[in-house]
Amino acid sequence: ETGVTQSPTHLIKTRGQQVTLRCSSQSGHNTVSWYQQALGQGPQFIFQYYREEENGRGNFPPRFSGLQFPNYSSELNVNALELDDSALYLCASSLRQGLMNTEAFFGQGTRLTVV
Amino acid sequence: AQSVSQHNHHVILSEAASLELGCNYSYGGTVNLFWYVQYPGQHLQLLLKYFSGDPLVKGIKGFEAEFIKSKFSFNLRKPSVQWSDTAEYFCAVDDPNSGYALNFGKGTSLLVTP
């Protein structure tokens, strides 16, 4: 166990709907990152939050948005779901020290299926 | 833009065989490099990392990797694999342009047969 928990574990949504995924960081960590892992692919970086602000973003459209809360838990929101959004969504937490992050610990992910 | 390439997408080995998984990255500056493993049904976990110093790094479960700067490579090795090493292996580099978030390769699926 990593101490990073994600909910729900599985989710089925209809195209055009909106979804919110949740992540609880490991105790003591202040940075959270979200990744999308399509079947047979490596995780793709969506965005990262540090001290409740986005401090890095991958090549994802604005309909992917997030929040980090004062307790360092986080949400990933996806609007106007598309079939291609079907994937495993991973959350990772780490501790920002200076300009760099310590080892990232991953949750088990949320499997999103868009039909 | 940074990229990470893993050469072998699927590898099948017999137990006790030696393993080497290739990883190349494209980035001109100082990099931090990682290998992560994803066992079936489990979360991604760190095998080993290179930040600086000795280019030969040792990780958990008998894995090691060698950073060769001139070749932009960070290959993963294990002298003798076990059936329990069956998993997906991901090479990654952290990206200073993205808050040091991880940029992953596409992964290598390793199947170890008894």
Side-chain angles (χ1 to χ4, degrees):
Chain A
E1 290 300 321
T2 64
V4 179
T5 56
Q6 293 185 242
S7 62
T9 54
H10 295 83
L11 199 54
I12 300 175
K13 287 287 192 178
T14 303
R15 188 171 50 183
Q17 284 188 313
Q18 178 266 344
V19 69
T20 297
L21 310 182
R22 295 179 173 82
C23 173
S24 181
S25 299
Q26 180 159 308
S27 177
H29 285 180
N30 56 16
T31 299
V32 65
S33 306
W34 285 90
Y35 296 82
Q36 181 195 67
Q37 187 177 16
L39 206 59
Q41 301 293 316
Q44 296 294 307
F45 173 60
I46 304 175
F47 45 58
Q48 178 171 275
Y49 278 81
Y50 169 62
R51 290 187 175 177
E52 302 176 55
E53 290 192 1
E54 186 180 292
N55 77 332
R57 190 176 182 93
N59 190 25
F60 280 81
R63 59 188 185 85
F64 285 78
S65 63
L67 285 172
Q68 186 184 31
F69 299 101
N71 66 355
Y72 303 122
S73 65
S74 175
E75 285 182 357
L76 163 65
N77 299 290
V78 187
N79 293 322
L81 283 166
E82 301 176 0
L83 297 179
D84 285 349
D85 296 333
S86 295
L88 181 68
Y89 288 84
L90 297 170
C91 169
S93 76
S94 56
L95 178 64
R96 188 134 176 109
Q97 292 183 325
L99 292 176
M100 293 174 53
N101 298 331
T102 59
E103 174 186 345
F105 289 86
F106 284 81
Q108 287 201 291
T110 294
R111 173 72 62 188
L112 172 66
T113 302
V114 182
V115 298
Chain B
Q2 268 193 1
S3 67
V4 178
S5 298
Q6 293 184 240
H7 316 302
N8 319 98
H9 296 296
H10 298 278
V11 173
I12 302 175
L13 294 173
S14 300
E15 276 194 316
S18 64
L19 170 72
E20 180 160 2
L21 302 182
C23 173
N24 285 92
Y25 65 92
S26 65
Y27 183 65
T30 301
V31 292
N32 300 312
L33 296 153
F34 307 81
W35 275 97
Y36 278 82
V37 61
Q38 192 171 34
Y39 297 105
Q42 295 190 26
H43 58 269
L44 271 169
Q45 56 184 287
L46 184 68
L47 268 181
L48 48 79
K49 61 188 177 187
Y50 172 79
F51 279 14
S52 63
D54 189 344
L56 184 62
V57 293
K58 295 191 183 298
I60 61 171
K61 304 187 181 186
F63 286 91
E64 66 179 29
E66 184 175 13
F67 170 55
I68 303 179
K69 189 174 181 180
S70 61
K71 294 184 178 180
F72 296 89
S73 69
F74 190 55
N75 292 353
L76 181 71
R77 299 195 292 248
K78 186 170 183 179
S80 176
V81 294
Q82 301 172 312
W83 176 80
S84 58
D85 293 324
T86 293
E88 292 273 344
Y89 291 82
F90 296 95
C91 181
V93 58
D94 62 6
D95 184 354
N97 297 319
S98 298
Y100 291 93
L102 296 170
N103 185 4
F104 286 90
K106 291 188 175 182
T108 297
S109 176
L110 172 65
L111 173 63
V112 180
T113 60

